[in-house]
Amino acid sequence: MAIQFIDLKAQYRHLKPAIDARIHAVLDHGQYIMGPEVAELEAQLAAYTGARHAIGVCDGTKALLIALMALGIKAGDEVITTPFTFIATGEMIALLGAVPVFVDIDPVSYNLDPARLEAAITPRTRGIMPVSLYGQCADFAAINAIAEAHGLAVIEDGAQSFGASQHGKRSGNLCTIGTTSFFPSKPLGCYGDGGACFTSDDELAKKMREIRIHGQDRRYHHPVIGINGRLDTIQAAVLLAKMPGFQDEVVARARIGARYNALLGDVARVPQLAAGNSHVYAQYTIEVDNRAAVQKALQELGVPTAVHYPIPLHLQPAFAHLGQGAGSFPHAEAAGQRVMSLPMHPFLDDATQDVIVDAVKQALC
């Protein structure tokens, strides 16, 4: 059997009765938009993260947009973020006419380096948007302290880190607003697009709930401009079926990641876990020399790989107007040339992992 990069079929087989029952319940009651499963899921997500409010939305990208809109980010404002992330992070800042201000990463964690934050803050700075990349949270203790000193809001782009924790608090509940994605390949994934925003600020929660339904506070009454950002009821139903076993999958991911580290630590640069952090390994990412050759060798050995992310945001054509060329953020650029992700999912058994590890060692020889 071919090795799967992410085995969603294995998860479905394991959860099939619960998933099918939840989907059929929606088909039976027919409330496909904002049905009762959405509120039920929101309550469970809030309880899981520890945030007072969870707001289900249509995808992780719109979760970022809704968070920025709730904070009043507008044209000309600056929002500090990392260049080493998926385009959505910087894209949503730019979509509002604001300016993404990039800060280089810590080369060990790949997350935004708090030591570089102060130098990036200007009178136009309105917020900081760290990314909890690959499944490990950014250093929110340091980031929040700097933000508080300057009166700035912090938004966690936790698209890859739902289930991870930092000093006993879970991703989504580490700053002003947390966001996540339920894209199928994420640690908690639905069967289409989905996402959520989290906050313990009652007023921000109210704003985000209004924004996701066209700025509506009651039917046909719109105090603010919003978007169509609702989470589909069927996607909420799928997530509800997955929630009871989700923490077991988090534990399995941590075990598999630790096993990879032990088996590959002598041949490649493996993920480093920061003190106080847990890791959900949305991706299991290593660094290698001659990445293209290694990927080709692994492909020939039947092992799929991926690169997250080969081109940092400041080198993307969409952000060329910022005038930050090669050399602007050397740690992000170096990571983009060297990182490579291996198969990772909670149903990856030891025998298959051993095959992957042996192939990696062979490809690196």
Side-chain angles (χ1 to χ4, degrees):
M1 183 179 294
I3 294 173
Q4 301 296 312
F5 189 75
I6 297 172
D7 196 344
L8 298 178
K9 291 181 180 179
Q11 185 191 52
Y12 175 61
R13 288 192 297 270
H14 180 68
L15 297 173
K16 186 178 189 306
I19 292 172
D20 289 357
R22 279 288 189 173
I23 291 174
H24 280 285
V26 177
L27 297 176
D28 286 339
H29 67 56
Q31 298 177 56
Y32 301 117
I33 303 297
M34 298 300 290
E37 285 80 2
V38 174
E40 183 183 356
L41 175 66
E42 289 174 338
Q44 291 193 22
L45 293 173
Y48 182 83
T49 60
R52 187 176 301 143
H53 304 280
I55 300 96
V57 300
C58 58
D59 56 64
T61 300
K62 300 306 188 304
L64 295 173
L65 179 63
I66 290 168
L68 290 163
M69 292 173 71
L71 291 168
I73 302 300
K74 62 185 185 305
D77 291 343
E78 294 178 353
V79 178
I80 297 171
T81 191
T82 168
F84 193 56
T85 181
F86 182 59
I87 186 72
T89 312
E91 183 181 36
M92 292 303 97
I93 297 168
L95 192 66
L96 291 174
V99 180
V101 175
F102 299 123
V103 166
D104 209 355
I105 60 171
D106 165 27
V108 176
S109 70
Y110 306 111
N111 286 324
L112 185 151
D113 186 350
R116 302 172 185 271
L117 268 178
E118 291 273 5
I121 295 173
T122 77
R124 293 183 297 278
T125 306
R126 294 292 177 267
I128 305 170
M129 188 185 286
V131 176
S132 295
L133 198 70
Y134 298 152
Q136 177 172 204
C137 296
D139 186 352
F140 281 95
I143 293 167
N144 288 339
I146 295 168
E148 185 176 359
H150 291 271
L152 303 174
V154 179
I155 300 171
E156 179 188 20
D157 182 343
Q160 299 176 11
S161 59
F162 188 77
S165 64
Q166 185 168 88
H167 301 298
K169 296 184 70 174
R170 285 183 170 141
S171 177
N173 187 33
L174 297 170
C175 56
T176 315
I177 299 175
T179 70
T180 198
S181 168
F182 300 129
F183 187 79
S185 62
K186 302 300 184 187
L188 179 63
C190 56
Y191 287 170
D193 277 314
C197 298
F198 304 91
T199 189
S200 291
D201 184 304
D202 295 344
E203 185 59 28
L204 284 176
K206 179 176 181 292
K207 287 180 180 178
M208 289 190 286
R209 288 194 177 99
E210 292 173 355
I211 290 167
R212 74 168 171 183
I213 312 179
H214 298 286
Q216 178 176 277
D217 63 350
R218 61 185 184 273
R219 191 167 177 80
Y220 297 132
H221 187 262
H222 307 266
V224 298
I225 296 296
I227 63 172
N228 181 1
R230 302 168 300 201
L231 177 65
D232 289 346
T233 307
I234 284 180
Q235 302 304 338
V238 171
L239 293 167
L240 282 166
K242 292 186 176 188
M243 280 297 291
F246 176 64
Q247 192 57 31
D248 290 338
E249 293 192 6
V250 170
V251 171
R253 285 177 173 274
R255 182 191 67 79
I256 294 164
R259 191 168 187 269
Y260 263 139
N261 287 350
L263 295 171
L264 290 174
D266 60 341
V267 296
R269 181 175 171 184
V270 300
Q272 302 296 308
L273 192 60
N277 277 3
S278 71
H279 204 311
V280 76
Y281 294 105
Q283 286 84 32
Y284 182 82
T285 303
I286 62 175
E287 281 192 37
V288 297
D289 297 323
N290 303 315
R291 183 179 64 200
V294 173
Q295 285 190 284
K296 184 175 184 294
L298 287 171
Q299 183 180 19
E300 292 171 353
L301 292 167
V303 175
T305 61
V307 176
H308 309 89
Y309 298 93
I311 305 174
L313 297 192
H314 67 288
L315 300 181
Q316 295 287 351
F319 292 115
H321 64 282
L322 297 177
Q324 296 166 323
S328 298
F329 304 103
H331 293 313
E333 292 168 31
Q337 294 170 8
R338 293 176 51 81
V339 296
M340 181 182 74
S341 298
L342 300 174
M344 165 57 80
H345 56 84
F347 298 90
L348 184 64
D349 59 73
D350 288 357
T352 304
Q353 190 176 26
D354 288 341
V355 171
I356 296 166
V357 167
D358 289 345
V360 171
K361 290 181 175 180
Q362 183 176 333
L364 289 173
C365 290

